[in-house]
Amino acid sequence: MRTQHPLTVQATAQLNSVSLPAAFLHAAEQLIPANRRFDDPTSTLAFGTDASFYRLIPKLVIRVESEDEVVALLKLAHREHVPVTFRAAGTSLSGQAISDSVLIVLGDNWNSREIRNHGAQIRLQPGVIGAQANAWLAPYGRKIGPDPASINACKIGGIVANNSSGMCCGTAQNTYFTLAGMRLVLADGTRIDTEDPASLTALRTSHSTLLDELARLGRETRANTALAERIRHKYRLKNTTGLSLNALIDFDEPVDILTHLLVGSEGTLGFISAVTYDTVPEHLHKASAFIVFPDVETCCLAVTVLKQQPVSAVELLDRRSMRSVQEKPGMPAFVRELSAGACALLIESRAASAALLQEQLGHITASIAAFPVEKQVDFTTDPAANAQLWAIRKDTFPAVGAVRPTGTTVIIEDVTFPVEQLAFGVRRLIELFERHCYDEAILFGHALEGNLHFVFTQGFNNPAEIARYQAFMEDVTQLVAVEFGGSLKAEHGTGRNMAPFVELEWGSDAYRLMWQLKRLLDPTGILNPDVVLSDDPHIHLKNLKPMPAADAIVDKCIECGFCEPVCPSKGLTLSPRQRIVMWRDIQAKKRQGLDTQALEHDYQYQGIDTCAATGLCAQRCPVGINTGELVKKLRAQNAHNLRTANWLADHFSTALKGARMTLHVANGARMLLGAPRLNQWSARLSQLSKGRIPAWTAAMPQPQDTLRFTPQPAMDRPRVVYLAACVSRAMGPAASDREQMSLQEKTHALLTKAGFEVIYPENQDSLCCGQPFASKGYNAPAERKRQELIDALMHASRGGLDPIYCDTSPCTLRLVQDLNEPRLDLYDPVRFIRSHLVDKLTFHPQDTPIAVHVTCSTQHLGESQALIDLVRRCSTQVVVPEGIHCCGFAGDKGFTTPQLNAHALRSLKDAVQYCDEGISTSRTCEIGLSQHSGLDYHGLVYLVDRVTTALTAP
């Protein structure tokens, strides 16, 4: 390799500062609406990040919503010689989803599916999240073959383009081997649909030369005995290094060669607009065992035996990886006590029936019975025990990320050794960790395929660190590719990371063939340059992503993007990952003495104002980061009306009267002007006030005046303290709602029906959990109100003797988080109904379909499935809309930032169009849900009360 000094991000940015051709920009403006074209510094930096340790800042980001747009853009880019890169979810680990030219990002309209032959096949567009595809196939007992660890976030486009696999997929069930059809767009804008005879006929006419060349290259490759045998050997292993040359020896038909070349091509040969999979069985009967062997050699010998057994997954963990998680809560105690050289296998077997599973387990156990074992957890079918065992494996990568020094990044590499040489490969890799001082590095992987992941932390802040990384990678590539004849990339894709080493692994003949294919399918070199194949031997050392300190809350972020699918603002402004990227950049620029005023101005709206701060991102984050906590902290720093907040906290009953008065005025205006005219006028007024005056909608609540319930004689009935949230006390049903009884009245009636004596806290109108203050950054009055409420509940419940029912799940969550009073027994509606009411009521389920919205707080409380199950008791038809995780109303954001609520619920109306009503557990969420669905959304108690009668004593 020729010597070339690695470039920093800043230096590379200067070299790539040439602007896009004016002709391209002008034409793009005609093709794509302005709201889907981004060239401002905030957007381009935010999109310049994927899950890898590289960063390129695109000059233009375009969100595409149709294949027609992709075709037009590719024709334009082809004509103007403008490089383009495609992005689906951006969970790629090797730098294949970034660009310093034009980044084309999938929009909302790439989510269609077609299920065929009772689930035997499924046709998917590239925007479908992998886990969603499996959810659609679950009723048929099927799934797609690939099962990457990122399946809850990554999209089909990336799964195909990277030929992703996973823990159970192996080599037999990846996209390449389960591909049944493809729709694609070539670099020149030509569309091809392999399932459409007319499309193939047109292709044979327009691109006969291309097809002839593919056929010729196939014949020549198959005739080259040495090369053909090398290709077969390489794909006997898990391998995603370079282009999929196996297409040339596995297929004769040029179209088949073409589509299989696209698999694993990482967007360098064309755009995949749909793919048809042959699905695979999803066996529900499964069992797992965890076996610790005294050393690596014994462990790997056991793997060779297990490869012949009916196992679905065999995961290897070295002692370092187990040590990284041994102190985590919930880990089995024995993990701490293992010897220094221990090496473990996590084994899973699946079967179509319980009897067959037990038979398989007997064969597996017998096959490895002769091996010495240090510790063994026998096969178990118990879901909780299984989850605990798999947590050992799944928590290893996050464990390294969580303890890394601030400013460093987490790198996860994946290589393949021939299984018969796995033990030697593991030993040699560990020696390299020690030689290059990667003391924190851990090793684990999919042992059946000889596929090992190793995770280490790396700083790129100075030349010495970059040189250490360079030397380490050169040793790794020599070890894996040359000495062992393995794969440098088993399932994460070549990207920029291994592009300089493709020839080292494959040899000159195969490498030259890859370049022939690239130039044949992308003659102008516009598709994702420097990915998979690169003329630059140091491309893996350039454009290294900085990870500057920003705030302790988010400094452990590894920018993987797992958080993004559940974020309501993603696609409107920023996702959690992008919020962190931007805040890191702002803080780094401040430390450099640069002016960040413009960036902070943009960040105020894009990063802070439009964040729902509900914390769902933390549930998906591998290292548990709640980006909403950072946003709340920033809001607190800008909370300049503390005196007003304190006054409202001290005079809360007066504030509640003011809220009721506002709703009275709005309701009076509705009766005077009529709903359509009020809607129009208030929208204009809200616009003129820049959102300070909320717009009225038909879902706006009517005022709820204070209710007083006459105490009933106890008659030895069980007591329950009913905490009506302040929104329930102020907001009644909308005027158009067919349910005109207030939530308080309905809840009181249901609790009484079930035989409870209902108790209310004293001075209820002055009580508040503090959430309205906390969400705006006024933490002191928020905590004061919370403690005041807890004291009142302690008194009302007789020191915690009685259960406490809160009618709104966000308020329940606010109260139970960090609760220092263990005597309080607090319930949200879901938990109380399932725990205390189900056995006191007879359910008479209705036939009309019901839509269910699981609020963020319900998810945090762990009651999501319980809510769905309760609604299923009430209705024979239950709809849980796909892809809606947070409604974006976020307390009062539905009033002050209604575009967030509208964006989060943009797909709701179509999803629930055949439903009769909607159910949730948060009064404010129900306002937005009703507005954007056209349905009446109510609290769960309305439905339960309607379909139940008091249980008659036998």
Side-chain angles (χ1 to χ4, degrees):
M1 290 186 182
R2 64 185 183 273
T3 302
Q4 185 172 333
H5 183 70
L7 296 175
T8 63
V9 173
Q10 292 82 1
T12 306
Q14 291 171 1
L15 289 177
N16 294 329
S17 62
V18 179
S19 60
L20 297 172
F24 178 89
L25 291 172
H26 177 71
E29 288 173 4
Q30 309 307 309
L31 290 170
I32 308 295
N35 65 345
R36 291 196 277 114
R37 288 181 282 110
F38 311 93
D39 61 2
D40 61 284
T42 297
S43 298
T44 53
L45 176 58
F47 281 106
T49 292
D50 67 358
S52 74
F53 52 96
Y54 298 100
R55 172 170 293 151
L56 288 173
I57 310 301
K59 296 179 179 68
L60 178 65
V61 179
I62 297 176
R63 183 177 291 131
V64 290
E65 296 291 359
S66 70
E67 186 184 75
D68 286 346
E69 291 180 349
V70 173
V71 168
L73 285 169
L74 281 179
K75 287 181 177 178
L76 176 60
H78 185 71
R79 186 181 74 217
E80 300 295 334
H81 295 267
V82 172
V84 297
T85 296
F86 307 113
R87 159 102 46 106
T91 57
S92 306
L93 291 165
S94 301
Q96 56 265 66
I98 55 177
S99 171
D100 59 1
S101 180
V102 177
L103 186 66
I104 298 177
V105 180
L106 295 182
D108 289 338
N109 298 324
W110 297 91
N111 295 307
S112 71
R113 87 277 195 177
E114 179 188 348
I115 298 174
R116 303 172 180 171
N117 304 325
H118 303 288
Q121 283 190 342
I122 187 169
R123 188 165 173 89
L124 298 163
Q125 283 192 298
V128 173
I129 292 175
Q132 182 61 65
N134 285 341
W136 290 329
L137 290 167
Y140 305 94
R142 311 288 292 183
K143 64 177 181 177
I144 60 172
D147 62 339
S150 58
I151 197 166
N152 289 322
C154 67
K155 297 181 178 179
I156 293 299
I159 290 174
V160 178
N162 290 289
N163 198 21
S164 305
S165 47
M167 285 184 277
C168 299
C169 172
T171 54
Q173 295 182 349
N174 62 22
T175 298
Y176 183 94
F177 286 107
T178 57
L179 181 68
M182 184 182 288
R183 186 175 175 92
L184 61 110
V185 183
L186 295 177
D188 63 3
T190 301
R191 300 179 221 238
I192 305 169
D193 191 338
T194 66
E195 297 182 344
D196 180 0
S199 174
L200 294 179
T201 299
L203 177 69
R204 292 184 182 110
T205 300
S206 64
H207 285 66
S208 58
T209 302
L210 169 65
L211 297 179
D212 289 344
E213 276 296 294
L214 287 173
R216 180 185 67 80
L217 290 172
R219 289 192 301 271
E220 290 179 356
T221 304
R222 291 188 293 275
N224 186 334
T225 307
L227 179 58
E229 182 53 38
R230 181 161 183 78
I231 292 170
R232 290 188 186 95
H233 165 73
K234 296 298 295 182
Y235 289 103
R236 179 174 66 89
L237 310 174
K238 249 191 185 183
N239 184 14
T240 59
T241 308
L243 297 177
S244 300
L245 293 183
N246 45 343
L248 295 167
I249 61 171
D250 291 343
F251 301 97
D252 299 320
E253 170 59 44
V255 172
D256 289 331
I257 294 174
L258 174 62
T259 55
H260 287 81
L261 280 171
L262 264 286
V263 176
S265 65
E266 302 174 31
T268 63
L269 301 181
F271 174 81
I272 299 163
S273 55
V275 63
T276 303
Y277 278 107
D278 288 323
T279 63
V280 301
E282 170 67 307
H283 297 313
L284 298 180
H285 298 276
K286 61 183 179 180
S288 299
F290 193 84
I291 304 175
V292 184
F293 299 90
D295 52 58
V296 169
E297 288 77 13
T298 306
C299 187
C300 293
L301 285 172
V303 171
T304 61
V305 173
L306 289 168
K307 195 164 177 64
Q308 310 305 317
Q309 297 300 316
V311 292
S312 58
V314 176
E315 294 292 297
L316 180 147
L317 298 95
D318 76 340
R319 184 65 184 100
R320 290 166 175 244
S321 63
M322 291 184 282
R323 190 177 296 117
S324 73
V325 298
Q326 66 186 21
E327 301 301 330
K328 291 179 70 70
M331 285 294 153
F334 72 81
V335 178
R336 299 183 188 88
E337 301 161 1
L338 299 175
S339 65
C343 191
L345 294 179
L346 175 58
I347 307 168
E348 182 177 274
S349 183
R350 297 189 179 197
S353 68
L356 179 57
L357 176 63
Q358 290 305 314
E359 182 181 334
Q360 290 178 182
L361 299 183
H363 289 304
I364 297 167
T365 302
S367 72
I368 57 175
F371 289 98
V373 170
E374 182 173 321
K375 177 68 182 180
Q376 180 166 328
V377 178
D378 292 330
F379 278 104
T380 174
T381 58
D382 177 63
N386 267 310
Q388 186 183 47
L389 294 180
W390 277 96
I392 302 174
R393 161 65 176 85
K394 292 178 179 178
D395 285 352
T396 49
F397 176 40
V400 175
V403 300
R404 77 185 195 277
T406 299
T408 64
T409 192
V410 181
I411 297 178
I412 178 168
E413 289 293 353
D414 75 307
V415 299
T416 304
F417 293 103
V419 174
E420 61 273 14
Q421 296 178 289
L422 184 59
F424 302 107
V426 171
R427 284 294 186 199
R428 294 291 302 281
L429 272 178
I430 292 173
E431 289 173 8
L432 289 184
F433 298 156
E434 293 170 351
R435 182 187 309 169
H436 294 278
C437 302
Y438 288 105
D439 301 326
E440 79 294 343
I442 64 172
L443 193 63
F444 56 87
H446 317 315
L448 283 180
E449 309 299 333
N451 175 199
L452 296 177
H453 298 311
F454 54 96
V455 181
F456 58 100
T457 62
Q458 176 69 54
F460 294 121
N461 300 318
N462 59 67
E465 278 294 291
I466 295 174
R468 179 170 73 124
Y469 172 73
Q470 180 180 7
F472 176 59
M473 291 310 299
E474 288 179 356
D475 280 355
V476 167
T477 55
Q478 284 291 328
L479 172 71
V480 176
V482 179
E483 293 185 39
F484 284 85
S487 304
L488 294 173
K489 284 291 183 180
E491 56 184 6
H492 293 170
T494 311
R496 301 168 185 280
N497 190 18
M498 286 298 171
F501 304 102
V502 174
E503 184 174 10
L504 177 73
E505 175 176 330
W506 276 96
S508 58
D509 286 351
Y511 189 62
R512 187 162 48 249
L513 179 56
M514 290 181 192
W515 273 111
Q516 284 180 274
L517 292 165
K518 169 68 173 174
R519 288 163 182 147
L520 176 64
L521 289 165
D522 181 19
T524 55
I526 63 166
L527 297 180
N528 216 1
D530 282 327
V531 167
V532 180
L533 302 174
S534 177
D535 287 324
D536 187 344
H538 288 97
I539 194 68
H540 66 305
L541 301 173
K542 296 177 181 177
N543 306 299
L544 300 169
K545 183 197 295 182
M547 298 287 272
D551 189 284
I553 295 172
V554 298
D555 280 342
K556 298 305 180 185
C557 174
I558 55 180
E559 299 184 5
C560 63
F562 285 14
C563 55
E564 293 188 335
V566 297
C567 177
S569 65
K570 181 183 181 292
L572 173 69
T573 51
L574 299 176
S575 69
R577 166 168 64 174
Q578 293 170 334
R579 282 184 170 87
I580 294 171
V581 167
M582 289 307 306
W583 194 242
R584 279 175 164 162
D585 185 62
I586 289 169
Q587 296 310 300
K589 284 183 167 61
K590 278 188 171 182
R591 285 192 291 271
Q592 295 168 18
L594 301 176
D595 183 3
T596 61
Q597 189 171 349
L599 282 175
E600 291 188 79
H601 177 269
D602 289 347
Y603 194 77
Q604 180 62 44
Y605 175 74
Q606 298 196 51
I608 299 175
D609 293 347
T610 52
C611 178
T614 57
L616 284 190
C617 48
Q619 294 188 355
R620 296 292 187 95
C621 176
V623 291
I625 292 170
N626 183 347
T627 311
E629 289 301 316
L630 171 65
V631 170
K632 289 178 180 178
K633 180 176 179 179
L634 298 179
R635 286 175 183 165
Q637 292 173 1
N638 294 321
H640 302 309
N641 296 308
L642 182 59
R643 180 177 297 178
T644 301
N646 281 324
W647 187 92
L648 290 171
D650 293 337
H651 303 83
F652 196 77
S653 61
T654 303
L656 211 58
K657 290 176 183 176
R660 293 187 184 113
M661 180 59 67
T662 302
L663 291 174
H664 269 296
V665 171
N667 199 44
R670 175 191 61 81
M671 292 187 287
L672 179 65
L673 299 173
R677 185 177 297 175
L678 177 59
N679 199 340
Q680 182 181 5
W681 285 14
S682 70
R684 178 61 177 158
L685 184 60
S686 180
Q687 184 180 15
L688 291 173
S689 70
K690 297 182 178 180
R692 286 188 291 272
I693 300 176
W696 185 91
T697 71
M700 187 70 75
Q702 297 178 99
Q704 177 60 58
D705 292 327
T706 302
L707 296 175
R708 298 283 184 259
F709 295 97
T710 303
Q712 300 294 318
M715 296 184 296
D716 297 324
R717 290 182 297 165
R719 287 165 46 111
V720 59
V721 176
Y722 174 21
L723 169 62
C726 55
V727 291
S728 307
R729 286 176 261 139
M731 298 178 180
S736 60
D737 197 329
R738 64 187 174 193
E739 290 277 8
Q740 286 299 302
M741 183 180 285
S742 73
L743 178 60
Q744 282 182 272
E745 293 171 287
K746 183 62 70 175
T747 302
H748 185 97
L750 178 63
L751 294 173
T752 302
K753 180 200 293 187
F756 281 91
E757 178 188 359
V758 184
I759 307 299
Y760 292 87
E762 296 176 2
N763 301 317
Q764 187 166 232
D765 263 6
S766 67
L767 299 176
C768 173
C769 70
Q771 182 64 26
F773 301 93
S775 65
K776 292 176 174 54
Y778 295 102
N779 296 324
E783 186 55 34
R784 190 166 74 252
K785 294 304 292 182
R786 178 175 179 268
Q787 191 56 52
E788 183 182 300
L789 176 55
I790 289 172
D791 292 343
L793 293 175
M794 280 293 293
H795 178 73
S797 65
R798 299 181 293 178
L801 185 65
D802 305 314
I804 300 164
Y805 175 98
C806 179
D807 64 9
T808 302
S809 55
C811 298
T812 314
L813 179 65
R814 164 82 182 158
L815 288 171
V816 301
Q817 286 178 324
D818 302 318
L819 184 63
N820 294 321
E821 183 44 79
R823 290 177 294 170
L824 281 185
D825 196 12
L826 281 157
Y827 292 82
D828 75 319
V830 179
R831 181 167 168 252
F832 191 84
I833 292 170
R834 70 173 175 81
S835 302
H836 292 285
L837 300 192
V838 165
D839 61 349
K840 297 178 175 65
L841 302 169
T842 301
F843 285 76
H844 310 280
Q846 63 184 46
D847 293 327
T848 52
I850 302 291
V852 179
H853 176 71
V854 183
T855 67
C856 305
S857 47
T858 301
Q859 295 176 59
H860 284 303
L861 289 165
E863 298 290 338
S864 303
Q865 191 58 49
L867 171 60
I868 296 168
D869 291 344
L870 278 175
V871 178
R872 284 178 176 152
R873 282 179 173 264
C874 301
S875 174
T876 58
Q877 302 179 66
V878 177
V879 175
V880 183
E882 297 166 359
I884 296 176
H885 303 275
C886 171
C887 72
F889 207 94
D892 65 353
K893 286 245 173 249
F895 298 128
T896 62
T897 316
Q899 62 272 31
L900 176 62
N901 185 224
H903 179 78
L905 299 180
R906 62 196 182 280
S907 62
L908 179 62
K909 192 167 188 176
D910 288 340
V912 301
Q913 58 183 312
Y914 301 113
C915 294
D916 190 59
E917 66 178 318
I919 294 300
S920 190
T921 56
S922 168
R923 182 67 191 95
T924 51
C925 294
E926 290 150 20
I927 298 170
L929 291 162
S930 298
Q931 178 185 349
H932 295 291
S933 67
L935 300 180
D936 290 338
Y937 269 79
H938 310 113
L940 174 65
V941 293
Y942 286 89
L943 179 63
V944 173
D945 183 63
R946 186 190 316 140
V947 304
T948 59
T949 53
L951 187 66
T952 303

